[in-house]
């Protein structure tokens, strides 16, 4: 099978995508797949990478986006590079964040009629929008971290810089409902990009400015002091969850630096150090959350668990989680008996299965 690995992208998670894609490339079974690389620059240009660069990454070189034959999309046909259609069996979009994990590129794949790995348009967009995902889970009776949201256009006086009197009023409302400290974050971003932990009113304005630089909607959440538990889920209509793991941050919270820059930023513990009955409870809720969002292929579902009180909160779902061989998603799968290369085999098979299912549907009147 010819598998096109799509990586890079315009989001703040460009570097993370390059790391994940390099790991995917190195673990694809060469007897089963012929890999191609398509890198997306920070400006949004798509370039097919030369085979020599594929070989260099396979031998340990870092993966970056280099100029090459520009890739374009031909509706109902596929991908084109150098004036010719690419012969592809599957696209593996190892893209994190905006313009990759939010349903936009998945819609593009649907228009071209090319099979792809992972969630479709709805599952991807719901997973990216933390507010909308929480509302869906609340409807399903799944406990979520208490939250509020902020959109400047909803406040006549806040179109532009947010006035101090508006911030003071919001601070009073939010702290009354959620207490202090608060997390202020972009509603549609990942990898802890743009997140600030706010302990006082004086910290609110710069936190809001940071979040609004990444998204036009801000999520304000209660800072839950509890264990951070993550759970891998794989499947389409009948997904299965793997034994959950625990993140023990060595920073104030599990921020971008702790995840990707500081090698000692966090300890990843599998299985999570919680009672077995609670592990199974988390696995059950992870599958429910996955199905509620209509996720497909894979996801990592994140929770907060307060063992003393037995309180469990669903935090978020990541429909294309970090995918290096040391990422929690792949490590939890491995702990459950599914090695990294076998995960890739299954995800590609699930992508083909979902493509076949969609193609049995009728879209025009007879």
């Amino acid at each position: 099978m010819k598998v096109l690995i799509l990586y890079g992208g315009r989001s703040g998670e460009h570097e993370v995508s390059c790391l994940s894609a390099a790991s995917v490339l190195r673990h694809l079974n060469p007897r089963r797949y012929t890999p191609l690389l398509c890198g997306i620059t920070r400006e949004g240009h798509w370039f097919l990478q030369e085979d020599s660069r594929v070989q260099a990454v396979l031998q340990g070189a870092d993966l970056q986006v280099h100029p090459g034959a520009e890739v374009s999309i031909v509706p109902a046909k596929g991908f084109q590079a150098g004036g010719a259609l690419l012969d592809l069996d599957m696209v593996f979009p190892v893209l994190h964040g905006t313009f990759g994990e939010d349903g936009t590129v998945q819609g593009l794949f649907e228009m071209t009629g090319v099979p792809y790995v992972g969630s479709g348009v709805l599952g991807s967009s719901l997973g990216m929008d933390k507010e909308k995902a929480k509302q869906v889970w609340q409807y399903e009776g799944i406990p979520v971290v208490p939250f509020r949201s902020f959109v400047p256009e909803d406040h006549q006086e806040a179109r532009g810089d947010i006035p101090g009197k508006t911030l003071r009023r919001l601070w009073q409302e939010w702290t009354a409902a959620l207490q202090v400290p608060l997390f202020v974050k972009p509603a549609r971003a990942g990898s802890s990009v743009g997140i600030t932990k706010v302990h006082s009113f004086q910290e609110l304005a710069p936190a809001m400015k940071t979040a609004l630089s990444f998204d036009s909607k801000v999520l304000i959440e209660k800072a839950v002091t509890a264990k951070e538990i993550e759970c891998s889920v794989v499947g389409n209509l009948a997904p299965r969850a793997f034994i959950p793991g625990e993140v023990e941050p060595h920073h104030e919270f599990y921020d971008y630096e702790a995840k990707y820059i500081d090698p000692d930023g966090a300890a990843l513990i599998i299985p999570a150090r919680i009672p077995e009955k609670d592990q199974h409870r988390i696995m059950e809720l992870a599958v429910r959350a996955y199905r509620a969002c209509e996720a497909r292929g894979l996801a990592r579902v994140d929770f907060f668990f307060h063992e003393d009180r037995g309180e469990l909160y669903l935090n978020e779902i990541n429909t294309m989680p970090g995918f290096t061989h040391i990422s929690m998603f792949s490590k939890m799968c491995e702990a459950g008996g599914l090695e990294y290369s076998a995960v890739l085999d299954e995800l590609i098979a699930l992508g083909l299965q979902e493509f076949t299912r969609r193609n049995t549907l009728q879209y025009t009147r007879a």
Side-chain angles (χ1 to χ4, degrees):
M1 291 182 62
K2 294 182 179 178
V3 178
L4 180 73
I5 300 172
L6 200 58
Y7 69 97
R10 295 171 57 190
S11 81
E13 300 172 75
H14 181 102
E15 295 90 347
V16 183
S17 171
C18 291
L19 291 171
S20 293
S23 191
V24 169
L25 173 63
R26 292 171 187 143
H27 286 85
L28 278 176
N29 186 337
R31 294 186 297 274
R32 304 184 71 171
Y33 310 105
T34 299
L36 294 88
L37 286 175
C38 179
I40 304 176
T41 68
R42 298 177 190 278
E43 296 74 34
H45 298 290
W46 297 34
F47 292 118
L48 186 67
Q49 304 297 288
E50 296 178 357
D51 186 61
S52 60
R53 299 200 186 279
V54 175
Q55 297 306 315
V57 175
L58 287 172
Q59 294 170 19
D62 290 341
L63 179 57
Q64 300 174 350
V65 180
H66 297 273
E70 193 152 13
V71 174
S72 58
I73 306 299
V74 182
K77 290 187 177 180
F79 293 78
Q80 180 175 281
L85 285 173
L86 294 176
D87 181 17
L88 297 177
D89 297 301
M90 172 68 61
V91 178
F92 201 134
V94 192
L95 297 167
H96 305 307
T98 315
F99 305 115
E101 198 179 348
D102 59 357
T104 51
V105 77
Q106 287 76 16
L108 196 60
F109 300 150
E110 298 282 352
M111 296 297 291
T112 62
V114 176
Y116 59 94
V117 167
S119 289
V121 175
L122 178 61
S124 298
S125 57
L126 266 180
M128 179 57 61
D129 193 316
K130 297 177 179 65
E131 180 202 31
K132 297 305 178 187
K134 288 177 186 291
Q135 290 171 347
V136 168
W137 294 329
Q138 286 178 321
Y139 180 82
E140 294 289 334
I142 300 173
V144 301
V145 176
F147 70 98
R148 295 292 187 271
S149 61
F150 174 84
V151 178
E153 286 75 14
D154 291 342
H155 303 264
Q156 182 68 34
E157 74 278 17
R159 296 178 182 177
D161 290 337
I162 308 172
K165 63 178 182 180
T166 301
L167 275 180
R168 175 64 70 178
R169 174 175 57 81
L170 292 171
W171 174 256
Q172 293 171 348
E173 292 176 5
W174 293 340
T175 54
L178 306 175
Q179 301 180 329
V180 179
L182 302 171
F183 277 111
V184 175
K185 61 177 69 174
R188 294 162 292 206
S191 291
S192 300
V193 171
I195 293 181
T196 306
K197 191 172 185 180
V198 176
H199 304 82
S200 66
F201 173 71
Q202 288 70 29
E203 297 175 348
L204 182 60
M208 294 291 287
K209 183 176 181 179
T210 296
L212 285 167
S213 70
F214 288 97
D215 193 10
S216 57
K217 179 167 63 174
V218 177
L219 198 70
I220 299 90
E221 290 182 333
K222 176 183 177 67
V224 177
T225 303
K227 289 188 174 184
E228 298 188 35
I229 309 295
E230 300 182 345
C231 186
S232 295
V233 182
V234 172
N236 286 340
L237 299 179
R240 70 189 190 280
F242 292 81
I243 197 74
E246 178 182 345
V247 176
E248 186 180 78
H250 297 159
H251 293 201
E252 185 175 10
F253 65 96
Y254 197 32
D255 58 7
Y256 186 93
E257 285 72 21
K259 289 178 178 178
Y260 304 115
I261 297 175
D262 181 359
D264 300 314
L268 307 178
I269 303 154
I270 305 172
R273 298 169 297 185
I274 59 177
E276 186 174 347
K277 64 180 179 61
D278 293 310
Q279 292 179 5
H280 290 293
R281 180 183 169 201
I282 286 169
M283 292 165 69
E284 178 185 351
L285 280 179
V287 169
R288 283 180 59 193
Y290 187 95
R291 292 174 61 90
C293 285
E294 297 197 9
R296 297 290 186 269
L298 74 158
R300 196 193 70 235
V301 188
D302 299 346
F303 297 85
F304 291 113
F305 178 66
H306 197 295
E307 189 170 355
D308 292 342
R309 297 198 294 264
E311 293 176 351
L312 180 64
Y313 296 102
L314 176 54
N315 184 30
E316 64 182 29
I317 186 171
N318 296 271
T319 55
M320 187 54 71
F323 218 124
T324 70
H325 71 285
I326 61 170
S327 295
M328 275 294 269
F329 174 81
S330 53
K331 290 182 70 175
M332 287 185 288
C333 289
E334 184 176 1
L338 196 62
E339 299 287 342
Y340 194 116
S341 293
V343 172
L344 300 181
D345 289 342
E346 183 161 349
L347 294 182
I348 290 170
L350 288 167
L352 288 172
Q353 180 188 91
E354 185 67 7
F355 176 75
T356 301
R357 188 181 72 87
R358 287 195 303 268
N359 276 1
T360 63
L361 302 176
Q362 181 174 314
Y363 296 100
T364 59
R365 295 182 61 184

